[in-house]
Amino acid sequence: MKGGSILVRHAALIEHFHTFTDPCPAAHILVTEEGEIVAVNIAAQKLSGLERDTCNGKKLSDFVSDRPDDLLQYLHVCARNRRPMPGAISWRQTGNGPHEYRCQGFVIEPHSSDSTALVIIHCETKDVAGNKFIALNRKMEELEAAYHKLASHAEVLKSEIARRMQVEEEQRALEKQMHHVQKLESLGIMAGGIAHDFNNMLMAVLGNADLALADLEPWSPVRPFIEEIEKVSRRAADLCRQMLAYSGRGKFVVKTVNLSDLLLDMAGMLEISVSKKAVLKFNCPENLPPIDSDPSQLRQIIMNLVINASEAIGNRSGVITVSTGAVECDRAYLAATFLDENLAEGLYTYLEVADTGHGMDRETKAKLFDPFFTTKFTGRGLGMSAVLGIVRGHKGGIKVYSEPGRGTAIKLLFPAVPDALPGDMHEGPAGDGKWQGKGTVLLVDDDETVRAVGRQMLERLGFNVLTANDGSQGVAAYREHTAEIDLVLLDLTMPHMDGEETFREMRRISAEVRVILSSGYNEQDVTQRFAGKGLAGFIQKPYTLEPLRDTIQKAFEKTSRPPG
Amino acid sequence: MSTKNVLSELQIPLERDLFLRTLIRELAGTLEDVVGFDEAAGYISLVGQNIGEWINNLYIRELAVDALSATQVINVLLDLKSRIQGDFFVIEQDENKVVLGNTTCPFTDKVVGRPSICMVTSNVFGVIIAENLGYAKVVLQETIAQGHKCCRVKVYLKPSPEADTDEGREYFGTARGSH
Ligand SMILES: Nc1ncnc2c1ncn2[C@@H]1O[C@H](COP(=O)(O)OP(=O)(O)OP(=O)(O)O)[C@@H](O)[C@H]1O
Ligand SMILES: [Mg+2]
């Protein structure tokens, strides 16, 4: 049959063929049963090198490398079926693409007495169509090969697998612990941040109240109101400290404490806090190595532990035993504690709260210290995370023993003070409240209210005051007025250039610089950080007139340079 | 007695015919499982068509005709099935269609659950009819493969509105056909 007549006869069909197949990324060929090409879509033009206008009448067998007989037989079968018949085609010339294609062919115009059948062949790349069969075979071969290998190396593999599993197990445990630590850290950062801002506000409240009180006659009727403001503000400042406890950074009133004494002092309060069915036993030897700690924090964690113990006992009868003691801890022992952040080997004083309550399963135990983890209806899930934070702040460790149905024992380890000084480590106030300064103080703080209140206090103490909003301004001001400035009152936590860096810069300008640091963090942390760096003093925020006077007085006395 | 002798006397039903039928069942089953029924049916259709052509040519040669008549075609279908141990029979017939029944499948019970094997029947029938009469539509109404007691195959010999509405496979004559 002449190509031309096909074109005429099937003009509409060819038009349709292009309309539907040209947008399609797969190659389509319209071909007669005898293998004469009628039309090719755009994708097929690219594959074969044929052109739309000149392809008609060319032999498909000239463009593919399949055997002509096979091709004809395939077209022949396709010509018989409306349903697609699977086949394969290898193009001779293709752009960059593969040569081999799977295809599906079906009749579009069946054979009739005056026309040969027209077939559409639609090509798919072998890999794209996913010759699932071949892929499956290949997989099976791989599997079999792997199996044989496995069988021959079974022993070696077994130990290798065991080793890997152990490594993975260890890694998982480590990750878990890190996760915990990270959580606590973010909570700490949050608490620290809140405490910082809060302290600055309290500073304004407390400072202004203080200034007002100083100006009031002793018999003034507004005095009680302002005293009340002061009292409440101090309570708020206390709360701030508790928040910092979560971060494990704030030991505020560090004293050498005998745990046994502290416990026995609390006994009465603990008795009334536990359930009536629980018997509270104390096992507290007298001559216990003391520890450095904030007693109010210790009371808080003892309370948390004992209440948990009582809640675990619930309405049944049970015993809560609170014990203290001392133990020499080596690395192996410390490594088995929950909080092993490179704790130092040595003598530890411990506090253990054991109960005969319902105990914990493994899952609960794993989450015990998670902030907000609770299994109780009204629980907040903060008790144990506070314990963790506080123990951490003491560089201590925690051991947890628990068995479902049997009970729980939680042991806290605190480093014992090597050569303990009895009583308060802090020196009492030195001043008599009458000391007056003179000269110039540079007040560096990023908080506006702190600058305002601080300036008033300092002026009241007899100083000229310069202020700076941040570290770099502070350094600039100090450079300009080095000779005049007798004292710098420097905030530790500031954006960009913090107190530490500012201090360093000022020391570079003059090694003589007299700096008092102020911070919401505790004195011990800060003074440890600045040990041996020539810090003249530290004052914890929020501060009031008297402590400020004392601190400045001491700073001037310590560094003999005469004021002014 | 040597092992060889012991084994050859064992009463296990293993002979070439069973072996081949099992092989086909497994091939079809694997195909169905791996590429799905539709694609498997496509492959098996291809095989069925080639076999259909081969059988058609055998009869045409032996009968020494150019093409088979409608009656001859139906007789061929019945004959070929009995030769391969099916027992096809005519249930009803008119000039447009014929309904065939069958109680034993050439693949025996090996066909159960493997409906793609029925594509062999459909295609062999379809090819023989279409190559001689120019058109066929084969409708597998009931099949042993699908769990029916017997097969019921309806074959349309001409295009018709009735054929159009029935669910089945159409076959067309080709230029090679002898009609
Ligand atoms: N002694 C114990 N025996 C059994 N389970 C305990 C014990 N101590 C703590 N738990 C489990 O650990 C969970 C967390 O304790 P945590 O003290 O942090 O929070 P809480 O007691 O639920 O709430 P709250 O913040 O009011 O203390 C508890 O809900 C409980 O499931
Ligand atoms: Mg609790």
Side-chain angles (χ1 to χ4, degrees):
Chain A
M1 184 168 299
K2 275 269 170 84
S5 62
I6 285 185
L7 279 186
V8 174
R9 190 198 311 265
H10 296 298
L13 177 69
I14 293 168
E15 200 52 46
H16 274 123
F17 172 83
H18 282 294
T19 310
F20 289 111
T21 64
D22 277 354
C24 181
H28 286 75
I29 318 146
L30 183 61
V31 61
T32 69
E33 184 185 348
E34 280 108 11
E36 275 180 27
I37 293 167
V38 179
V40 283
N41 78 338
I42 293 173
Q45 290 163 26
K46 284 193 192 130
L47 269 187
S48 59
L50 285 160
E51 281 166 13
R52 177 173 173 156
D53 298 331
T54 56
C55 66
N56 187 263
K58 296 206 164 130
K59 284 204 163 311
L60 181 58
S61 54
D62 291 340
F63 295 86
V64 298
S65 52
D66 305 278
R67 278 184 41 218
D69 282 355
D70 289 348
L71 182 67
L72 277 182
Q73 173 62 20
Y74 176 62
L75 292 175
H76 180 63
V77 170
C78 295
R80 204 184 282 130
N81 291 273
R82 276 213 205 283
R83 305 270 181 107
M85 290 286 119
I89 269 189
S90 297
W91 291 96
R92 277 185 205 284
Q93 178 212 327
T94 64
N96 304 320
H99 292 252
E100 291 180 21
Y101 285 79
R102 289 176 89 209
C103 60
Q104 304 269 359
F106 57 91
V107 69
I108 185 82
E109 185 71 40
H111 170 88
S112 67
S113 52
D114 53 9
S115 169
T116 178
L118 291 185
V119 169
I120 289 182
I121 309 274
H122 149 216
C123 303
E124 307 162 331
T125 12
K126 269 193 167 164
D127 0 328
V128 172
N131 199 327
K132 297 174 203 159
F133 221 37
I134 292 175
L136 186 84
N137 252 334
R138 213 172 285 146
K139 271 238 178 74
M140 302 242 301
E141 274 164 23
E142 277 167 18
L143 267 175
E144 210 178 87
Y147 172 77
H148 283 304
K149 235 192 219 158
L150 259 175
S152 59
H153 301 306
E155 279 316 304
V156 187
L157 266 165
K158 241 191 234 157
S159 62
E160 172 68 14
I161 287 170
R163 198 186 61 80
R164 277 196 203 176
M165 267 163 61
Q166 196 193 337
V167 170
E168 269 170 31
E169 188 59 42
E170 282 164 12
Q171 211 166 343
R172 231 172 290 146
L174 209 72
E175 268 168 25
K176 240 192 201 159
Q177 202 176 343
M178 263 172 58
H179 194 68
H180 250 120
V181 171
Q182 276 169 0
K183 237 192 212 163
L184 282 165
E185 248 156 36
S186 47
L187 204 73
I189 289 167
M190 198 175 84
I194 294 173
H196 172 77
D197 287 355
F198 220 68
N199 257 329
N200 285 339
M201 292 184 236
L202 282 172
M203 167 100 200
V205 176
L206 209 49
N208 281 310
D210 207 41
L211 287 169
L213 275 181
D215 278 353
L216 281 177
E217 304 298 338
W219 55 82
S220 164
V222 292
R223 197 169 251 284
F225 300 122
I226 297 180
E227 278 168 355
E228 188 62 19
I229 292 177
E230 210 187 322
K231 215 165 91 196
V232 174
S233 309
R234 282 191 202 282
R235 284 231 299 276
D238 267 355
L239 200 72
C240 263
R241 269 167 229 178
Q242 294 306 333
M243 279 192 341
L244 273 169
Y246 287 116
S247 71
R249 298 172 84 165
K251 280 182 290 176
F252 297 99
V253 194
V254 182
K255 290 181 177 161
T256 342
V257 179
N258 181 314
L259 257 179
S260 292
D261 293 350
L262 183 109
L263 260 167
L264 296 175
D265 281 348
M266 286 179 77
M269 190 168 62
L270 292 175
E271 293 281 3
I272 54 166
S273 308
V274 302
S275 116
K276 300 276 166 295
K277 292 280 186 67
V279 178
L280 194 57
K281 283 188 185 166
F282 290 94
N283 184 6
C284 304
E286 257 173 52
N287 49 351
L288 200 62
I291 58 174
D292 271 347
S293 175
D294 174 348
S296 71
Q297 287 195 334
L298 281 180
R299 276 186 217 109
Q300 185 190 336
I301 58 181
I302 293 167
M303 203 64 182
N304 289 353
L305 291 177
V306 170
I307 286 176
N308 276 352
S310 159
E311 283 168 348
I313 289 170
N315 290 328
R316 291 157 305 162
S317 339
V319 183
I320 302 170
T321 314
V322 184
S323 328
T324 53
V327 56
E328 214 22 83
C329 299
D330 58 11
R331 194 91 286 284
Y333 187 83
L334 291 170
T337 60
F338 182 79
L339 255 181
D340 169 35
E341 285 156 343
N342 297 323
L343 298 179
E345 288 188 340
L347 186 65
Y348 281 75
T349 300
Y350 71 80
L351 163 79
E352 187 183 75
V353 177
D355 64 66
T356 57
H358 56 58
M360 287 178 273
D361 55 18
R362 188 134 51 110
E363 224 173 292
T364 307
K365 216 161 108 180
K367 295 191 178 145
L368 179 62
F369 297 106
D370 285 7
F372 309 113
F373 170 76
T374 180
T375 56
K376 296 167 194 167
F377 186 62
T378 53
R380 293 167 309 152
L382 286 174
M384 290 307 289
S385 40
V387 169
L388 183 71
I390 291 169
V391 172
R392 202 176 201 232
H394 285 76
K395 304 214 172 5
I398 303 184
K399 284 201 168 216
V400 179
Y401 313 86
S402 188
E403 240 179 280
R406 313 276 310 253
T408 303
I410 292 174
K411 194 174 198 169
L412 312 181
L413 296 161
F414 299 99
V417 180
D419 293 305
L421 305 165
D424 197 341
M425 297 238 304
H426 282 235
E427 297 156 56
D432 53 7
K434 299 288 178 289
W435 185 84
Q436 282 286 308
K438 60 178 194 284
T440 303
V441 175
L442 171 62
L443 172 61
V444 187
D445 202 301
D446 60 317
D447 194 284
E448 196 185 316
T449 51
V450 172
R451 284 199 305 273
V453 178
R455 170 190 284 277
Q456 292 205 40
M457 288 184 181
L458 289 166
E459 280 173 358
R460 197 163 285 236
L461 291 177
F463 292 103
N464 294 322
V465 182
L466 297 172
T467 58
N469 301 348
D470 59 27
S472 43
Q473 268 194 26
V475 172
Y478 186 69
R479 185 173 289 123
E480 198 177 329
H481 306 281
T482 315
E484 287 164 57
I485 293 173
D486 299 292
L487 177 79
V488 181
L489 186 52
L490 179 61
D491 184 29
L492 179 64
T493 322
M494 291 182 293
H496 313 306
M497 191 188 228
D498 67 7
E500 196 170 347
E501 207 183 331
T502 309
F503 178 46
R504 217 181 303 127
E505 285 300 311
M506 288 178 175
R507 293 265 299 177
R508 210 168 282 165
I509 296 167
S510 162
E512 300 281 85
V513 64
R514 194 186 275 134
V515 173
I516 294 178
L517 265 183
S518 74
S519 165
Y521 295 127
N522 77 39
E523 170 165 5
Q524 208 190 19
D525 272 2
V526 173
T527 39
Q528 256 166 26
R529 246 162 84 190
F530 286 84
K533 289 183 185 159
L535 200 62
F538 174 82
I539 186 158
Q540 181 160 1
K541 275 187 188 173
Y543 48 83
T544 49
L545 200 54
E546 282 316 308
L548 183 63
R549 189 202 303 267
D550 286 348
T551 310
I552 294 177
Q553 185 183 355
K554 265 192 235 161
F556 277 115
E557 282 164 9
K558 199 152 100 187
T559 50
S560 51
R561 190 157 59 105
Chain B
M1 212 191 280
S2 76
T3 328
K4 207 171 161 190
N5 290 337
V6 175
L7 289 182
S8 64
E9 274 169 30
L10 289 179
Q11 291 298 308
I12 43 176
L14 181 59
E15 29 84 26
R16 191 163 74 162
D17 186 47
L18 178 70
F19 173 76
L20 291 176
R21 274 184 278 123
T22 310
L23 181 80
I24 287 168
R25 178 191 158 78
E26 289 309 317
L27 277 173
T30 310
L31 254 182
E32 278 182 40
D33 293 345
V34 175
V35 301
F37 175 81
D38 284 338
E39 231 182 304
Y43 288 116
I44 292 176
S45 297
L46 211 56
V47 175
Q49 307 234 341
N50 292 337
I51 291 180
E53 268 185 53
W54 167 62
I55 293 175
N56 186 42
N57 290 335
L58 288 179
Y59 280 98
I60 285 181
R61 206 175 60 218
E62 287 307 307
L63 294 172
V65 289
D66 282 346
L68 305 172
S69 69
T71 324
Q72 277 174 320
V73 163
I74 288 156
N75 288 334
V76 162
L77 298 187
L78 297 176
D79 179 65
L80 91 88
K81 280 297 191 185
S82 69
R83 279 180 194 269
I84 61 171
Q85 289 169 34
D87 69 340
F88 273 81
F89 48 89
V90 176
I91 296 173
E92 59 173 279
Q93 179 174 13
D94 60 34
E95 57 171 324
N96 286 329
K97 64 174 186 293
V98 52
V99 180
L100 300 169
N102 173 37
T103 51
T104 51
C105 178
F107 297 106
T108 69
D109 59 335
K110 294 291 174 207
V111 78
V112 176
R114 294 300 179 210
S116 62
I117 295 183
C118 300
M119 283 302 119
V120 176
T121 302
S122 171
N123 281 273
V124 169
F125 280 18
V127 168
I128 295 175
I129 302 165
E131 284 298 301
N132 291 290
L133 308 180
Y135 177 83
K137 179 160 189 173
V138 182
V139 183
L140 302 171
Q141 292 182 310
E142 288 175 9
T143 63
I144 294 172
Q146 283 176 318
H148 296 105
K149 265 235 237 353
C150 59
C151 295
R152 194 184 158 93
V153 183
K154 194 184 221 175
V155 182
Y156 293 96
L157 308 174
K158 292 177 186 157
S160 67
E162 191 194 345
D164 271 356
T165 55
D166 221 344
E167 191 68 44
R169 280 184 167 249
E170 274 186 311
Y171 300 87
F172 299 100
T174 64
R176 280 198 206 168
S178 0
H179 52 277

